Structures are given as structure tokens and as C-alpha cells.
Amino acid sequence: MYRVAVIPGDGTGPEVIKEGLKILNKISSVFQIDFDFKEFDYGGHRYLKTGKTISEEDIEELKSYHAIYLGAIGHPDVKPGILEKGILLTLRFALDQYINLRPVKLYPNVETPLANKKPEDIDFVVVRENTEGLYVGSGGFFKKGTKDEIALQEMINTRKGVERCVRYAFEYARKRNNAKKLTLCAKTNVLTYAHDLWDRTFHEVAEEYPDIKADYAHVDAITMWMVKNPEWFDVIVTTNMFGDIITDLGAMIQGGMGVAAGGNINPEGVSMFEPIGGSAPKYTGKNIINPIASIAASQMMLDFFGESKAAKSLEEAIISTVGELKSMSAGNMGYTTSEVGDLVAEKIRGIKIP
Ligand code: IPM
Ligand code: MN
């Protein structure tokens, strides 16, 4: 029995999570996997009513779950930063979800803006460091509001944090068993302290993985290669901020925010799975948002639980469903949000063991 904390959150979050739960319930009956879902109302709505984001007690309670299934956090009436810091980043940090795993995979029959690129060309995974770097919130103002103002925002990199991330990425490249190539994405030509630490750690750890090709690309160049030659990549490991930026580009080349899912992973603790597209206020409540990303996030959760047969069957159902949609973008799918959920659910079948 898997205990899953469900945080539908804001905007279109509840609509896409509803479809994900529809799928997980179908998985449950086909594969005899038991889930115990408990819903939590963290998000902008609750914040506007109560002034609360997420507390230490809330975090303690979440620690008793096997995983968290998250919709979206972000509300147009709340000043930027409050909910992001107060809920999403707090969860990532407090639960020490030090990896943000973001697959970039173009499914067959999904349109990519890259001319002449096919599903076999766009299939890689970004391992984003998720608890350090520019995201730690260290810094401050001096003489704020005057013409002598100074604003500092520090980028923190620890040997421990870098090493566990790099190690996870090497292990992942090995387990993925594809091109067996790991590319470090950093900016060693300018960030000569912070990214020197990344570079040294990467090459030291690489010696323990002679079966994995260790490669390097500067972050600016990688945005170029991701567009020009995405087929070069197998696994990319990178810092928190760079990972944030390049995975939005990744989402676009795999067909858009409607398909991109991610996992905030603590390999020894509670992990959290989410569609990476955000709360999309302008599509909220219209039953037109694409739930595939949220469904793909539930597939990542099944994989994380080691339920590989169920995850495989779900991936096949997703692939076959996206082939039937007119487009991946909200309002243009040819189906409503809930109809897309139904299409995926119908296609979930038991896989026969030969
Ligand atoms: C993401 C988001 C978050 C991030 C924001 C909402 C804090 O953009 O998950 O990529 O920057 O990590
Ligand atoms: Mn982002």
C-alpha cells in the first residue's frame, strides 16, 4: 500500500491532478496496487484566506507518506516569491529532494518546433540539482531604495551537495543504459570558483564510472545544441538555476508544457512528482488544459516505487493517447481535459508475463 499525499494546488493544478488520480485508480484495479490518497489544500487559495504557506508541522506530517503528487503552486493575486518560496521550495528543501529529474522525450506523433527532428532524436534526461545554488535564498539588501543600494544573492555550492547530485546522475546514466553518456552543463569559463568545484567533482566521480562517457558543455552552448543537435544528449547534469532554465527549453522541444513532467527526488526519503508547467491561470476551470504532463508525473511516481510493469503500461497508454490528440496545447487538443484522462485510462491493460 502506497500512501500518497496529494496537493492539487492552484490554477489548473486540481484539474490535471484529478485526471492523474483517475489513471492511478485504474492502475490500482488492473495491477492490484493499493494507494491511499490524502488531499492537502496548500496553495494560493489557502494563503489568501489564512495567510499560511506551509508549516513545520505540515512538513512533519508529509514525511509519513511514500510520495507527494503535486499539481501546481502559484496564484495571480499573490506577490511573486511568497508561494514559490513558502511552499514549493520549502517542500523541496525540507524534504531534501536534492534531485530534480526532468525527462525530455518526444513521443511519436507529437509536434516539435525543431524541423526534421524525430522521437529518436529527442530523448534525454536532465538531472537538476534541487537544493542549492542560487535557490538557497541567501543574501540581502544594503541601503535598499537609495541610489547606493546593494543587492546580494549568493550562490551556494557544497562539495556534499554537488557530489551526491553528480553521483546520482552517473548512476542514472548507467541504469538508463542508453548512450551511456553524461554531460555536465555549467559555466566553468566564468564561474571559476563555484563551477570549478562542479568540474572537479564531476571528473573525480567519473573515474568510478569508466563505462559512462563524461562530457561537458557550457550552459549557453547547451541551449544551442539542444535546438540544433538534441540527439547528442543522453543524461545532462546541472545546477539548480541552469537546470530550471534549460528544462523549459527542453519542455518546448518535447512538445510543450502540456507534456513535461518532473520528479523532485530524495532517493532515501519522500519524493514529489509534478507537471512542470505551473498553474496556468488563464486556462483555469475551462476543462481545456492538457493533463498528459500530470499523468506522466504519476508514471514517474510508479517508476520510483519500482512498479515497472504498471509504469510501462501507463507509458504505452500515454504514447497511444498523444497520437490521437490534435495538438498538445490547451484548448487545441480536440478533446477536453477529462476526455484525455478517459482516453489514457481506457488504454491501461495488464502486461502479460511471457
Ligand atoms: C520549476 C519552477 C520553480 C523553479 C519556481 C516556481 C520556483 O519554475 O519548477 O521549474 O524555479 O524551480
Ligand atoms: Mn522552472
Side-chain angles (χ1 to χ4, degrees):
M1 154 91 83
Y2 298 108
R3 283 164 44 79
V4 178
V6 180
I7 308 177
D10 301 316
T12 50
E15 292 167 63
V16 296
I17 286 295
K18 189 169 160 223
E19 299 316 307
L21 292 175
K22 187 189 277 177
I23 304 308
L24 288 169
N25 283 319
K26 181 70 189 280
I27 292 273
S28 171
S29 64
V30 174
F31 290 90
Q32 270 90 54
I33 301 170
D34 282 342
F35 297 104
D36 180 13
F37 298 114
K38 177 149 184 236
E39 226 175 89
F40 294 86
D41 65 350
Y42 308 129
H45 192 70
R46 188 180 91 132
Y47 174 77
L48 289 170
K49 261 195 348 218
T50 65
K52 287 190 195 137
T53 50
I54 201 164
S55 69
E56 268 172 47
E57 295 81 69
D58 299 333
I59 299 282
E60 278 316 304
E61 168 155 27
L62 289 171
K63 283 185 182 161
S64 71
Y65 287 82
H66 290 104
I68 301 170
Y69 187 35
L70 174 74
I73 298 291
H75 196 290
D77 301 337
V78 181
K79 196 175 141 220
I82 294 178
L83 301 172
E84 290 84 346
K85 256 191 179 170
I87 302 177
L88 186 61
L89 300 182
T90 298
L91 283 168
R92 289 177 181 170
F93 284 46
L95 298 171
D96 205 21
Q97 295 163 340
Y98 60 87
I99 299 296
N100 198 328
L101 197 61
R102 296 189 162 183
V104 178
K105 185 174 173 133
L106 178 66
Y107 294 129
N109 304 310
V110 169
E111 204 185 327
T112 172
L114 303 186
N116 307 321
K117 295 295 176 189
K118 308 207 159 37
E120 58 270 28
D121 300 319
I122 304 176
D123 183 5
F124 59 91
V125 177
V126 177
V127 174
R128 165 186 175 190
E129 200 290 319
N130 210 32
T131 53
E132 297 195 345
L134 278 165
Y135 276 70
V136 297
S138 169
F141 297 109
F142 183 52
K143 299 187 181 175
K144 188 177 177 187
T146 74
K147 60 181 182 343
D148 296 322
E149 176 166 355
I150 296 172
L152 288 177
Q153 188 102 34
E154 287 153 343
M155 176 166 68
I156 307 287
N157 298 266
T158 70
R159 170 72 199 209
K160 178 184 155 193
V162 173
E163 186 170 333
R164 65 185 182 173
C165 176
V166 162
R167 212 168 264 289
Y168 182 93
F170 273 106
E171 285 292 333
Y172 193 86
R174 184 178 271 172
K175 206 178 75 200
R176 186 168 141 91
N177 199 16
N178 214 323
K180 292 202 163 195
K181 176 172 161 186
L182 178 64
T183 306
L184 170 65
C185 164
K187 187 76 182 172
T188 52
N189 53 346
V190 173
L191 305 176
T192 50
Y193 308 119
H195 288 192
D196 186 68
L197 173 62
W198 273 85
D199 196 54
R200 269 182 291 122
T201 307
F202 181 73
H203 286 103
E204 276 170 37
V205 176
E207 289 189 13
E208 295 171 40
Y209 295 85
D211 52 323
I212 309 296
K213 282 185 262 349
D215 195 14
Y216 177 82
H218 289 318
V219 64
D220 47 350
I222 219 165
T223 61
M224 174 175 75
W225 302 128
M226 277 172 68
V227 170
K228 198 170 170 290
N229 298 98
E231 66 279 4
W232 286 354
F233 300 110
D234 176 18
V235 180
I236 297 173
V237 62
T238 191
T239 66
N240 207 342
M241 186 85 258
F242 290 174
D244 178 44
I245 297 165
I246 70 169
T247 55
D248 267 26
L249 176 58
M252 283 302 121
I253 67 172
Q254 72 178 125
M257 287 299 182
V259 272
N264 300 271
I265 311 283
N266 175 342
E268 299 90 36
V270 183
S271 298
M272 177 166 76
F273 300 87
E274 55 173 343
I276 76 172
S279 59
K282 73 175 177 192
Y283 300 128
T284 300
K286 298 188 170 144
N287 201 20
I288 59 169
I289 192 83
N290 189 342
I292 290 292
S294 148
I295 295 170
S298 76
Q299 182 208 322
M300 291 183 78
M301 183 163 76
L302 291 169
D303 247 324
F304 182 78
F305 287 155
E307 299 290 352
S308 40
K309 260 191 288 166
K312 187 86 194 96
S313 159
L314 177 50
E315 176 159 43
E316 281 166 15
I318 291 173
I319 288 174
S320 139
T321 302
V322 293
E324 292 173 30
L325 305 187
K326 273 208 242 127
S327 144
M328 291 303 118
S329 64
N332 300 312
M333 300 185 291
Y335 294 92
T336 64
T337 305
S338 45
E339 284 168 349
V340 174
D342 292 342
L343 283 176
V344 179
E346 271 164 28
K347 295 181 170 68
I348 298 196
R349 309 255 150 70
I351 294 180
K352 287 194 207 79
I353 303 163

